[in-house]
Amino acid sequence: MNNKIIGIIPARYNSSRFLGKLLFKIGSKTLLQHTYENAKKCHILDDLIIATEDEIIFQEAQKFNAKCVMTNKSANGTERIIDVLKNNKEIQSSSIIINLQGDHPRIDKKTIEETINILKNDTDAKVSTAVTRINYEEAKSPNTVKCVFDNNQNALYFSRSLIPFAKNEKDISYYYHIGIYAYKTSFLFDLEKMPQTSLQKSEDLEQLKIMEHGYKIKVAIVDDAPVGVDVFEDVKKVEKILCQ
């Protein structure tokens, strides 16, 4: 095994809530190109790959000279990353693979770095992610995934519900889960074999499967709230950031 760190951006055309959103142009560039070029600024990454099952995404990636590989049709981004890993020997000897969301075009490079470093510094951990502090009004939404963690920054639980419960919400810090994951490369082969779990299916949160199978997830606490594009209405928020 070498110490290389590989970034992979799972990208698909058929987004259920916003068809073709990664090809939507914001200014002169597609959302996908904005995301890729932003991630390239993170010099801790030794390589950056777009992984897609759609030829139209592949063609777009070629236009801005991104490294892109075709995958089988997959149910989620993690499965797409595992597909890339299994079919590309040159990255199988890497130490860490980080999953970057294609619809988060301005995630701070420090968030990427801190998510990787907290995993590198814990020999027992297999996975890491990132959270940022939010207020009570933001935390109330079931679309906002929250995380609670222990004093060693190991995740205790993720939920769409409001966690932790508090008699007075002013006494509590709420943390929004940023959808970024770093994996020890060898662990991804184990993750592929893990069956779905009850809490994972109940909350519709894949990371719970990892915890239910007994593995810990390290949590980097960052000062970053990356704006993503989930639905068409999010475009204007992202335009203000990208085109300012």
Side-chain angles (χ1 to χ4, degrees):
M1 178 178 292
N2 58 46
N3 292 319
K4 284 189 174 181
I5 299 169
I6 310 298
I8 299 182
I9 302 173
R12 64 190 178 97
Y13 181 79
N14 290 311
S15 174
S16 59
R17 289 188 288 177
F18 184 176
L19 182 65
K21 68 178 177 180
L22 294 183
L23 299 185
F24 190 87
K25 279 204 169 182
I26 301 175
S28 61
K29 300 175 183 179
T30 61
L31 177 59
L32 180 62
Q33 184 174 353
H34 281 293
T35 300
Y36 181 85
E37 292 179 351
N38 182 65
K40 286 286 282 186
K41 297 174 185 175
C42 184
H43 299 302
I44 197 172
L45 301 178
D46 294 292
D47 203 357
L48 181 62
I49 302 167
I50 294 172
T52 187
E53 61 191 38
D54 297 296
E55 182 66 31
I56 190 170
I57 296 285
F58 183 84
Q59 292 173 359
E60 168 61 20
Q62 288 186 314
K63 291 178 183 177
F64 54 89
N65 298 316
K67 181 180 285 190
C68 185
V69 298
M70 294 292 293
T71 70
N72 295 324
K73 291 190 180 296
S74 304
N76 57 50
T78 304
E79 291 176 1
R80 210 176 329 279
I81 285 174
I82 292 171
D83 194 31
V84 173
L85 178 63
K86 290 168 62 178
N87 291 290
N88 292 269
K89 289 185 178 180
E90 67 272 16
I91 67 172
Q92 290 176 5
S93 60
S94 63
S95 60
I96 290 174
I97 289 178
I98 187 160
N99 179 345
L100 302 169
Q101 289 196 34
D103 55 9
H104 279 183
R106 275 295 178 269
I107 189 167
D108 195 313
K109 67 178 183 178
K110 291 182 181 178
T111 296
I112 300 173
E113 291 168 354
E114 290 183 33
T115 302
I116 291 168
N117 287 332
I118 198 171
L119 181 61
K120 286 174 65 177
N121 294 332
D122 189 322
T123 56
D124 294 328
K126 306 297 185 183
V127 187
S128 63
T129 191
V131 300
T132 193
R133 189 170 179 173
I134 56 174
N135 62 38
Y136 173 71
E137 289 302 316
E138 293 170 308
K140 286 193 301 183
S141 170
N143 295 321
T144 301
V145 177
K146 280 72 66 176
C147 176
V148 289
F149 45 87
D150 66 19
N151 291 335
N152 295 312
Q153 292 178 231
N154 299 307
L156 294 171
Y157 195 61
F158 298 85
S159 183
R160 299 183 185 279
S161 297
L162 189 63
I163 55 171
F165 169 79
K167 292 181 179 179
N168 183 354
E169 66 272 8
K170 293 180 181 179
D171 297 332
I172 292 293
S173 293
Y174 299 99
Y175 288 90
Y176 162 64
H177 175 230
I178 300 170
I180 179 175
Y181 297 96
Y183 302 93
K184 298 283 179 66
T185 301
S186 58
F187 176 71
L188 284 167
F189 291 104
D190 297 325
L191 181 58
E192 182 189 24
K193 301 171 186 175
M194 294 179 193
Q196 291 191 341
T197 54
S198 59
L199 291 174
Q200 173 198 359
K201 289 186 282 188
S202 177
E203 294 263 15
D204 190 24
L205 296 174
E206 187 185 12
Q207 64 269 36
L208 291 177
K209 176 173 74 172
I210 295 170
M211 298 176 66
E212 285 184 88
H213 281 287
Y215 297 93
K216 66 180 180 179
I217 299 177
K218 300 299 294 187
V219 177
I221 305 167
V222 301
D223 185 18
D224 181 25
V227 178
V229 178
D230 291 319
V231 295
F232 181 76
E233 288 71 23
D234 293 332
V235 169
K236 289 192 179 298
K237 294 185 292 184
V238 173
E239 279 179 333
K240 289 181 180 179
I241 297 170
L242 296 179
C243 301
Q244 60 187 1

